[in-house]
Amino acid sequence: MSDQATVVAFKPSTGRVTLRSSDGGFVLAEQTDASPLREGLSLLGNMREFGPETWSDAGGQTQYQVFVLGWDLSQEAVEMEMR
């Protein structure tokens, strides 16, 4: 299953990334590779299963290795995790 979401926060020191999905929920993941992420980046991939996943940018040119920590989260929950 492929989802699309936009990066709304990225913390390079921990690799934690927060994305907002098209349905308004939030996804929390930890990046496990060194490809540069940035806020505003639109990503595609499986965002609704716990564990390792590969996401790609909307153009399919760059892939990102992540570990999904949670999905359908509230904004408050991801803000606490990003501190």
Side-chain angles (χ1 to χ4, degrees), residues 19-82:
L19 298 98
R20 185 175 192 134
S21 62
S22 57
D23 66 5
F26 290 87
V27 177
L28 180 66
E30 191 168 298
Q31 186 177 16
T32 58
D33 68 5
S35 298
L37 279 169
R38 60 178 163 65
E39 291 181 19
L41 185 65
S42 182
L43 298 175
L44 301 168
N46 186 357
M47 300 179 187
R48 297 184 183 273
E49 287 189 39
F50 181 76
E53 294 291 341
T54 301
W55 295 344
S56 62
D57 64 4
Q61 305 231 347
T62 306
Q63 292 189 331
Y64 302 90
Q65 302 298 317
V66 298
F67 192 95
V68 178
L69 300 168
W71 60 93
D72 290 333
L73 301 171
S74 68
Q75 185 171 355
E76 294 80 18
V78 293
E79 284 175 355
M80 284 180 50
E81 289 296 324
M82 293 298 285

